[in-house]
Amino acid sequence: MITAAAARAKGHIRKTPLLSSPFLDDIAGRPVWVKAECLQHTGSFKARGGWAALSALPPDQRAKGVIAFSSGNHAQGVARAAAAHGTTAVIIMPADAPQMKIDNTRALGGEVVLYDRSSEDRDEIGARMAAERGLTLIKPFDDPQVIAGQGTAGLEIAEQAATLGITKADVLVCCGGGGLTSGIALALADRAPGLRVRPVEPDGFDDVKRSLKAGTIQSNPRATGSICDAILTPAPGQLTFPIMHEHCAAPLSVSDDQALHAMALAFQRLKLVLEPGGAVALAAALFHPEARGDGPIIAVASGGNVDAAVFATALSRFA
């Protein structure tokens, strides 16, 4: 499915670069390579899953329209893919999502429906609206085609690592529900088994870490309270959890301050603009002792859709 998604994505999804800086290597104490998914269409890896899901639908089903729920990145990926396929997209977004993400989703043609993530259930809203309007629900991470689409980033990492002569590395992946993490893990297990995937989450929202330790799906006790909005999810997915349980190494978590610091360093040293949730993997590579070892690190910079005020905070505090 990942290989097929990659074939359908040709000409529609960017192959993003692996970037490095000796300054970041010095901080981490080992070589660090950054997979710049912030340079993807719509500013995040979610363009991959959105395109994979829309392009896989039967034409008659796709023509009726789709619905998705997202804090912004999946929203933009689905809206872009829907517009390119000549169909409509209803996007259910939390009212506290960054305004940039709400505005961009509308600009891409998505019909935005806002909800309160602390008191309303987005799954219930999505299921109800899908039934009422005959729309196909494209889940943000717990969907086979979405996972396959995100896995195309793993195919690229395997190819790029081989070109660089990297046969063993820790691949740190920003992790919410696990779509990107599980997709990359599946791709690397097949194409580059020496590259081990480690999920990275915000402190206090480490449901994947606790789930992998317990062997069963664990939920976060709260839905808000971190600036890493892009990866605040209730729990790992029913599809993503067993994949991560089989293929991922020990997870990591980082603080909001560490994410902001990584954003500033990415801007200074790589000229990349990252959002907090898209910077946690790099933050773990730079600041987390458990991420340190003998070989290189590949950190996936999963998105760059950040409001100006948050980005300014990162630069003013750490640049």
Side-chain angles (χ1 to χ4, degrees):
M1 288 178 69
I2 295 172
T3 303
R8 297 196 307 275
K10 286 183 178 179
H12 305 286
I13 295 297
R14 292 174 179 149
K15 180 178 180 179
T16 57
L18 272 186
L19 304 176
S20 65
S21 163
F23 298 98
L24 300 183
D25 295 350
D26 287 345
I27 295 171
R30 60 196 287 198
V32 175
W33 294 88
V34 177
K35 177 66 169 169
E37 282 295 290
C38 53
L39 301 179
Q40 188 54 260
H41 292 295
T42 73
S44 90
F45 74 95
K46 291 287 192 176
R48 297 178 183 271
W51 190 270
L54 266 292
S55 62
L57 288 176
D60 56 340
Q61 182 180 356
R62 187 168 59 223
K64 296 177 182 178
V66 298
I67 187 169
F69 37 83
S70 166
S71 67
N73 288 333
H74 180 60
Q76 294 171 76
V78 170
R80 173 182 178 267
H85 284 89
T87 192
T88 57
V90 175
I91 311 295
I92 302 166
M93 300 182 69
D96 62 348
Q99 191 61 44
M100 176 187 183
K101 294 181 179 180
I102 295 173
D103 293 343
N104 286 355
T105 302
R106 287 175 172 148
L108 289 165
E111 176 190 338
V112 174
V113 176
L114 300 177
Y115 77 100
D116 184 341
R117 73 165 101 203
S118 65
S119 62
E120 295 181 284
D121 184 346
R122 69 181 187 177
D123 295 286
E124 185 278 327
I125 296 171
R128 173 170 47 80
M129 292 190 69
E132 290 172 353
R133 298 171 61 169
L135 306 171
T136 298
L137 177 62
I138 308 294
K139 294 182 179 181
F141 52 84
D142 220 26
D143 177 290
Q145 289 295 347
V146 170
I147 294 170
Q150 320 306 24
T152 62
L155 297 181
E156 293 177 14
I157 290 171
E159 178 185 347
Q160 291 164 324
T163 300
L164 293 167
I166 300 172
T167 58
K168 291 186 178 181
D170 284 340
V171 180
L172 307 187
V173 184
C174 308
C175 188
L180 180 63
T181 306
S182 58
I184 289 177
L186 284 172
L188 294 182
D190 182 71
R191 299 294 176 88
L195 308 186
R196 65 172 189 170
V197 171
R198 301 185 69 178
V200 185
E201 301 170 283
D203 286 345
F205 297 87
D206 58 348
D207 48 295
V208 170
K209 182 178 181 179
R210 289 183 286 107
S211 297
L212 295 182
K213 182 177 180 180
T216 58
I217 292 177
Q218 305 292 307
S219 299
N220 286 319
R222 54 198 174 108
T224 60
S226 170
I227 60 171
C228 301
D229 64 280
I231 54 174
L232 299 186
T233 51
Q238 296 293 326
L239 298 178
T240 61
F241 171 69
I243 297 171
M244 292 189 289
H245 191 261
E246 180 175 356
H247 293 291
C248 289
L252 302 162
S253 65
V254 300
S255 69
D256 283 0
D257 278 353
Q258 289 172 327
L260 289 169
H261 195 175
M263 290 167 61
L265 287 167
F267 179 72
Q268 287 179 303
R269 304 307 183 186
L270 300 174
K271 312 311 175 191
L272 293 179
V273 174
L274 302 185
E275 61 190 283
V280 297
L282 179 57
L286 298 177
F287 309 127
H288 207 298
E290 292 181 38
R292 299 190 175 175
D294 298 328
I297 295 176
I298 297 172
V300 179
S302 57
N305 293 313
V306 58
D307 279 347
V310 175
F311 193 63
T313 297
L315 298 184
S316 65
R317 291 181 59 186
F318 296 104

